[in-house]
Amino acid sequence: GAGVSQSPSNKVTEKGKDVELRCDPISGHTALYWYRQRLGQGLEFLIYFQGNSAPDKSGLPSDRFSAERTGESVSTLTIQRTQQEDSAVYLCASSSEPGGQDTQYFGPGTRLTVL
Amino acid sequence: GDSVTQMEGPVTLSEEAFLTINCTYTATGYPSLFWYVQYPGEGLQLLLKATKADDKGSNKGFEATYRKETTSFHLEKGSVQVSDSAVYFCALWQSNFGNEKLTFGTGTRLTIIP
């Protein structure tokens, strides 16, 4: 079956614009995660969904960041009024059950560049 | 909070050399430990994991042993191949109420030359 897919693969935007990043998890996976990877740094957790609910939003860096998930499937990460420090690769992962012991399957990421 | 420290790269080795990538962690309780790998142009994928002390995870010739006494999970391979060139990430997960995230290290870029 298909793996986790993300779109767009690359996004270049101007400072102050809003962007939407999309994640399509593996079908049937109830848990979905967003991470951010800045150049030369490790992966930084942003938010976790169980079904359509987000019990852990602790990683969202500011109120400019929001995410939603619908139909226990597709998730969208929205960044409003983008800043240059938002430039990073945004990774989505899904797993069949919540809890980190279950393998998380990662998408290829969206590379966001804010000019 | 939880944290993972891994060997800084880049690491360059000749084919058939022995590989060690160090990883140590800080966490309360008893986390599960993982190595993820990212091959060029591909997404992150799980390489191996260990869920309790003294467990050894292994896959594709790679091994790592969960050492509670030294809070380490070093990745080893006896004879590396060019196809092992990738970025390797050490990570931990611990069960805390509402906490379902992996904490990652910064990654180690490995290049194997023929």
Side-chain angles (χ1 to χ4, degrees), chain B residues 18-32:
Chain B
F18 183 85
L19 168 71
T20 300
I21 301 178
N22 290 338
C23 172
T24 57
Y25 66 89
T26 301
T28 56
Y30 303 95
S32 296

Side-chain angles (χ1 to χ4, degrees), chain A residues 33 35 37 41-43 45 48 56 58 99-101 103-104 106-107, chain B residues 32 34 36 43-44 46 49 89 93 98-102 104-106:
Chain A
Y33 309 77
Y35 296 88
Q37 185 177 20
Q41 299 185 22
L43 275 73
F45 168 80
Y48 152 67
D56 190 353
S58 61
Q101 291 197 11
T103 299
Q104 293 188 19
F106 283 80
Chain B
S32 296
F34 304 80
Y36 277 81
L44 270 172
L46 180 68
K49 67 180 182 182
F89 293 89
W93 174 82
N99 176 5
E100 303 292 355
K101 63 178 180 280
L102 285 170
F104 284 87
T106 54

Side-chain angles (χ1 to χ4, degrees), chain B residues 65-82:
Chain B
T65 301
Y66 187 158
R67 302 285 188 199
K68 182 172 176 292
E69 62 275 16
T70 54
T71 61
S72 65
F73 193 55
H74 304 321
L75 183 68
E76 296 182 336
K77 186 173 184 182
S79 176
V80 292
Q81 305 301 313
V82 172

Side-chain angles (χ1 to χ4, degrees), chain B residues 3 5 7-8 18-19 27 30 39 41 49 51 56 60 62 68 84 88 91-92 97-98 110:
Chain B
S3 67
T5 303
M7 180 175 173
E8 289 201 18
F18 183 85
L19 168 71
Y30 303 95
Y39 297 104
K49 67 180 182 182
T51 58
K56 177 186 286 186
K60 299 183 179 180
F62 290 89
K68 182 172 176 292
D84 294 327
Y88 292 81
L92 72 81
F97 180 77
L110 173 67

